């Protein structure tokens, strides 16, 4: 794609990067077929190619984004399916990240939307506040049915519609908090490795059992696990809202404490059980590339970050046969399959450990979770969730496994099939407890789970 940036514009490293990305695009349109919003809405401007044109125009003309541009960029899930499909290696992620920052800086959203985004950006990365907000949301759930639902999925969602979506996501009950930052879990037997485990923000409130399963499995296999003190939210939530000041501050804070831990106790890896977070931590090196102080440490931390399944492929797991024949529909989170290109490892680990693993049709399509997307774009998100659940139903699973808390909550909200994390199944298969299927906070309220052995 031909670009027309001036030399002055190209002196800005972000514009130089955008120029490089835009020039790689050959307008072929292959990406449109796998873009969830194009598949649903059929509008070229809701496709990757259409959005690339809009971003090019906005950056080249160096003018504030219009409401039309904002609408189509906001509808992008950042699922990155387009990056998997693109034959020219267009880095859409770095382009749309830049567009979101530009929108946040130069576009004035209506007041209710500004307030909602500010509240989400403030509450979600803080586990204490998030827990309190979930308790309040649970109290407000009975009133959600009274709020209006729009007739068409393409209408710009109103504040009330978004609040309704937020209330619907609140779990029926919250589990007790997991272990605090600063905890160290020694290896059982001879120590073969030492890792940090990202504590996460929403995940540690909604499902501390996920990291507990990771700790159980790792220590049982000779790996010491540390929950690093003073670690923060990885910054993914605010990064996707275009609030880069906040996201980069969190990245720097995490790099500082992880680097210190690596120097003092040694770290083989920083393990992540929420793939949405893993994708962003692996991108810290790029995000801070212009930061003199942090560029190199950020690159080192990105290289240390690993999805839990990526790490486990290098470990000889000891399976037991206690779980019997359980059919698993493996939901491949976008951040894992498109963001980190991890597609086979989770399925292979599950198969090797005795589960019957089924691929889900249209597995490249997002479930609609995408960070805060299911709150900000609830109608598109609901349609994607329904489509995902219909596809999952075709393989008749006993359970659904995923590697990202956002997907787990999104899918669990529309099905009675238990939704668990891949690591919970692997822990179970190697001598840990059976995943908690009832009252886990990730169940569709009022439905009874099938009994599993
Ligand atoms: S990131 Fe996903 S929703 Fe956005 S343009 Fe690419 S494929 Fe479409
Ligand atoms: S597939 Fe790649 S090169 Fe083709 S239009 Fe999409 S982004 Fe551009």
């Amino acid at each position: 794609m031909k670009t027309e940036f001036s030399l002055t514009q190209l002196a800005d490293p972000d514009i130089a990067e955008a120029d490089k990305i835009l020039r790689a695009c050959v307008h072929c349109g292959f990406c449109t077929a796998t873009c969830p919003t194009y598949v649903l809405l059929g509008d070229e401007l809701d496709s990757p190619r259409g959005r690339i044109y809009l971003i090019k125009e906005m950056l080249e003309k160096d003018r504030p984004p219009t409401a039309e541009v904002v609408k189509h960029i906001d509808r992008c899930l950042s699922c990155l399916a387009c990056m998997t499909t693109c034959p020219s290696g267009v880095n859409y992620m770095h382009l749309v990240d830049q567009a979101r920052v530009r929108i946040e800086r130069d576009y004035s959203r209506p007041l209710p939307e500004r307030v909602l985004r500010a509240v989400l950006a403030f509450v979600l990365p803080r586990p204490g506040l998030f827990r309190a907000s979930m308790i309040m949301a649970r109290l407000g759930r009975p009133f959600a049915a009274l709020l209006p639902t729009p007739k068409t999925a393409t209408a710009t969602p109103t504040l009330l519609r978004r609040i309704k979506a937020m209330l619907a996501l609140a779990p029926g009950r919250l589990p007790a908090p997991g272990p605090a930052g600063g905890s160290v879990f020694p290896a059982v037997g001879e120590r073969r490795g030492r890792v940090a485990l990202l504590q996460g923000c929403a995940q540690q409130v909604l499902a501390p059992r996920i990291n507990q399963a990771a700790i159980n499995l790792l220590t049982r296999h000779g790996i010491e696990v540390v929950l690093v003190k003073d670690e923060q939210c990885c910054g993914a939530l605010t990064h996707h809202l275009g609030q880069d000041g906040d996201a980069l501050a969190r990245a720097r804070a995490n790099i500082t404490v992880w680097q210190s831990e690596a120097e003092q106790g040694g770290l083989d890896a920083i393990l992540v059980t929420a793939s949405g977070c893993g994708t962003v931590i692996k991108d810290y090196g790029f995000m801070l590339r212009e930061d003199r102080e942090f560029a190199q440490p950020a690159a080192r931390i990105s290289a240390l970050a690993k999805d839990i399944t990526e790490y486990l492929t290098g470990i000889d797991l000891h399976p037991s046969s206690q779980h019997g024949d359980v059919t698993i529909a493996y939901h491949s989170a976008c951040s894992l399959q498109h963001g980190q290109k991890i597609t086979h490892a989770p399925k292979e680990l599950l198969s090797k450990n005795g589960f019957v693993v089924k691929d889900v049709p249209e597995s490249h399509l997002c479930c609609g979770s995408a960070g805060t997307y299911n709150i900000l774009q609830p109608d598109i998100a609901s349609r994607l969730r329904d489509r995902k659940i219909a596809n999952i139903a075709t393989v008749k699973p006993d359970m659904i496994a995923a590697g990202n808390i956002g997907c787990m909550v999104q899918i669990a909200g529309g099905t009675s099939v238990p939704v668990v994390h891949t690591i919970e199944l692997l822990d179970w298969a190697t001598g840990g407890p059976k995943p908690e299927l009832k009252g886990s906070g990730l169940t569709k309220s009022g439905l009874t789970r099938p009994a599993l052995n």
Side-chain angles (χ1 to χ4, degrees):
M1 183 179 285
K2 191 169 170 296
T3 58
E4 291 173 352
F5 291 108
S6 68
L7 288 176
T8 317
Q9 284 177 303
L10 289 170
D12 176 340
D14 285 338
I15 293 296
E17 184 64 28
D19 182 61
K20 197 171 83 187
I21 298 169
L22 290 165
R23 282 174 177 269
C25 176
V26 294
H27 325 241
C28 65
F30 287 170
C31 51
T32 56
T34 56
C35 171
T37 53
Y38 183 74
V39 169
L40 284 191
L41 306 173
D43 182 342
E44 171 76 12
L45 293 180
D46 285 313
S47 78
R49 186 171 58 180
R51 292 186 177 113
I52 287 170
Y53 278 122
L54 293 175
I55 296 170
K56 174 181 182 293
E57 191 76 0
M58 173 175 75
L59 296 179
E60 264 181 0
K61 301 274 166 34
D62 197 15
R63 59 186 179 206
T66 62
E68 188 70 1
V69 170
V70 173
K71 179 173 82 176
H72 295 293
I73 300 298
D74 280 356
R75 282 184 187 164
C76 169
L77 294 130
S78 281
C79 70
L80 311 180
C82 47
M83 284 180 65
T84 298
T85 314
C86 176
S88 303
V90 172
N91 194 322
Y92 177 84
M93 176 172 86
H94 289 157
L95 194 64
V96 79
D97 284 349
Q98 204 177 128
R100 292 193 202 282
V101 171
R102 183 69 73 113
I103 289 170
E104 185 66 16
R105 191 190 74 189
D106 294 345
Y107 182 71
S108 184
R109 295 180 186 275
L111 182 63
E113 189 166 353
R114 284 211 301 277
V115 171
L116 177 65
R117 283 173 176 262
V119 168
L120 291 174
F122 192 76
V123 171
L124 292 180
R126 293 174 171 82
L129 269 181
F130 181 59
R131 171 174 282 276
S133 73
M134 285 293 98
I135 292 168
M136 287 194 320
R138 201 178 65 206
L139 299 176
R141 263 178 85 154
F143 303 103
L146 304 175
L147 297 172
T149 304
K151 291 188 179 61
T152 66
T154 51
T156 301
T158 61
L159 179 64
L160 286 180
R161 175 70 187 99
R162 286 166 167 162
I163 289 173
K164 186 174 181 175
M166 205 156 47
L167 293 177
L169 287 170
R173 63 174 278 270
L174 284 178
S183 307
V184 178
F185 300 87
V188 175
E190 186 192 346
R191 191 176 100 173
R192 295 194 292 157
R194 188 173 194 269
V195 297
L197 181 64
L198 180 80
Q199 293 150 74
C201 35
Q203 178 174 293
Q204 67 171 276
V205 174
L206 296 172
R209 62 193 167 92
I210 295 173
N211 269 5
Q212 191 57 59
I215 292 166
N216 293 348
L217 182 146
L218 289 164
T219 52
R220 205 163 51 241
H221 288 81
I223 312 296
E224 181 168 293
V225 181
V226 54
L227 306 183
V228 177
K229 196 166 172 0
D230 296 330
E231 180 189 280
Q232 301 197 6
C233 161
C234 67
L237 287 161
T238 45
H239 182 58
H240 293 312
L241 288 169
Q243 300 181 10
D244 247 28
D246 182 278
L248 293 178
R250 291 180 186 283
R252 290 188 190 97
N254 283 336
I255 290 164
T256 303
V257 294
W258 288 335
Q259 189 167 249
S260 160
E261 184 66 42
E263 284 163 5
Q264 284 167 27
L267 286 179
D268 302 323
I270 297 164
L271 299 188
V272 187
T273 52
S275 59
C277 307
T279 305
V280 169
I281 295 169
K282 287 182 176 183
D283 205 37
Y284 276 1
F286 176 84
M287 290 160 65
L288 288 163
R289 69 197 183 287
E290 298 296 328
D291 185 314
R292 280 178 149 188
E293 188 187 346
F294 278 90
Q296 283 189 2
R300 280 199 294 274
I301 291 297
S302 287
L304 266 184
K306 286 197 169 35
D307 184 74
I308 183 88
T309 55
E310 200 177 0
Y311 183 74
L312 290 181
T313 54
I315 290 186
D316 198 13
L317 295 182
H318 314 309
S320 72
S321 57
Q322 63 173 344
H323 55 69
D325 262 358
V326 180
T327 300
I328 304 295
Y330 175 70
H331 165 70
S332 195
C334 295
S335 42
L336 206 52
Q337 64 166 322
H338 304 305
Q340 299 181 47
K341 307 291 180 218
I342 296 174
T343 50
H344 298 301
K347 291 188 285 184
E348 266 176 31
L349 284 165
L350 289 170
S351 300
K352 275 188 188 167
N353 286 281
F355 294 100
V356 180
V357 182
K358 301 276 189 187
D359 278 322
V360 175
E362 292 191 327
S363 61
H364 60 281
L365 285 184
C366 182
C367 65
S369 167
T372 54
Y373 192 92
N374 49 5
I375 295 170
L376 296 172
Q377 300 287 339
D379 303 308
I380 298 173
S382 298
R383 289 175 67 188
L384 287 171
R385 184 188 69 184
D386 294 347
R387 189 168 176 141
K388 180 64 69 184
I389 287 169
N391 276 319
I392 288 173
T394 63
V395 302
K396 299 185 172 50
D398 296 313
M399 295 191 210
I400 302 161
N404 190 46
I405 183 71
C407 310
M408 291 171 68
V409 172
Q410 173 78 349
I411 293 170
T415 177
S416 59
V417 180
V419 184
V420 295
H421 194 286
T422 309
I423 193 68
E424 292 181 273
L425 294 175
L426 294 174
D427 181 38
W428 181 25
T430 55
K434 187 171 82 172
E436 184 191 343
L437 301 180
K438 288 182 183 171
S440 63
L442 299 181
T443 56
K444 190 177 181 185
S445 51
L447 292 166
T448 310
R449 300 294 182 213
L452 290 162
N453 298 320

